[in-house]
Amino acid sequence: MQEVFLTRRERFSGAHKLYVSHWSKEQNEEMFGKCANANFHGHNYELFVTVAGQPDPVTGFVINATDLKSIIHEYVIDHLDHANLNLDIDWFQNDLQPTTENLIIAIWDRLEAHLKGCRLHKLRLVETENISVEYFGPTHS
Ligand code: NI
């Protein structure tokens, strides 16, 4: 088997606030810094979606990169780009914080089922030039 990994980059901008409702303002600011700002603030995120599969014998593609773009946009980017991650989408309920960590898990859950002919291998989500997270899907232990 000749498995190849293909990565597509997409970008989106979103606003968020990290805030534990039963903590004091001071506690929140100490934990979350700028991200606790009461009036929200924004990040320019970069999302790297890596899929794995064998190149098709006819097309040579693991997946058509344009199709991959469409899937990422339909299920992820169109929901997140220029959205308030706390208020405009229902991905973060019950005090689940819209951190980059929780965001990458939510993106995985929305993307995985829609990929055909290849499998989702890895996501990388860049929040700032110094901070990024990676996720390989839920572990089955
Ligand atoms: Ni932030």
Side-chain angles (χ1 to χ4, degrees), residues 14-18 32-37 40-43 45 98-100 127-128:
H16 74 167
K17 177 171 73 172
L18 305 179
F32 297 121
K34 283 183 194 166
C35 292
N37 181 32
F40 304 90
H41 77 156
H43 293 281
Y45 294 95
T99 59
T100 311
E127 182 184 80
T128 70

Side-chain angles (χ1 to χ4, degrees), residues 1 9-10 13 21 28 34 36 40 43 45 48 57 64 69 80 84 102 108-109 111 114 118 123 126 128 131 134 140:
M1 177 161 155
R9 181 188 71 157
E10 297 292 338
S13 300
S21 55
N28 275 289
K34 283 183 194 166
F40 304 90
H43 293 281
Y45 294 95
F48 295 84
N64 182 315
K69 176 183 180 176
L80 300 179
N84 180 313
N102 283 332
W108 182 285
D109 291 345
L111 212 47
H114 302 288
C118 62
L123 295 178
V126 179
T128 70
I131 301 283
E134 296 181 344
H140 305 283

Side-chain angles (χ1 to χ4, degrees), residues 3-141:
E3 195 171 48
V4 177
F5 299 84
L6 179 144
T7 300
R8 178 155 193 120
R9 181 188 71 157
E10 297 292 338
R11 291 188 279 197
F12 61 94
S13 300
H16 74 167
K17 177 171 73 172
L18 305 179
Y19 203 88
V20 177
S21 55
H22 62 272
W23 287 3
S24 70
K25 189 171 184 291
E26 291 70 27
Q27 280 177 299
N28 275 289
E29 285 173 355
E30 188 179 326
M31 177 62 72
F32 297 121
K34 283 183 194 166
C35 292
N37 181 32
N39 292 327
F40 304 90
H41 77 156
H43 293 281
N44 296 316
Y45 294 95
E46 276 187 301
L47 174 66
F48 295 84
V49 177
T50 302
V51 300
Q54 295 190 76
D56 180 273
V58 176
T59 65
F61 289 159
V62 169
I63 185 173
N64 182 315
T66 306
D67 293 345
L68 179 58
K69 176 183 180 176
S70 299
I71 293 166
I72 299 168
H73 275 256
E74 180 174 355
Y75 296 102
V76 177
I77 303 296
D78 291 354
H79 300 267
L80 300 179
D81 195 24
H82 296 287
N84 180 313
L85 303 182
N86 297 78
L87 302 178
D88 294 336
I89 56 173
D90 62 2
W91 298 20
F92 301 99
Q93 302 283 320
N94 304 316
D95 258 1
L96 183 66
Q97 301 299 323
T99 59
T100 311
E101 292 91 325
N102 283 332
L103 192 52
I104 201 170
I105 293 170
I107 291 170
W108 182 285
D109 291 345
R110 280 158 182 81
L111 212 47
E112 190 192 16
H114 302 288
L115 296 170
K116 305 284 181 249
C118 62
R119 66 181 173 82
L120 187 54
H121 170 69
K122 171 185 167 180
L123 295 178
R124 177 164 183 254
L125 184 59
V126 179
E127 182 184 80
T128 70
E129 62 185 63
N130 296 321
I131 301 283
S132 64
V133 298
E134 296 181 344
Y135 187 52
F136 294 85
T139 52
H140 305 283
S141 54

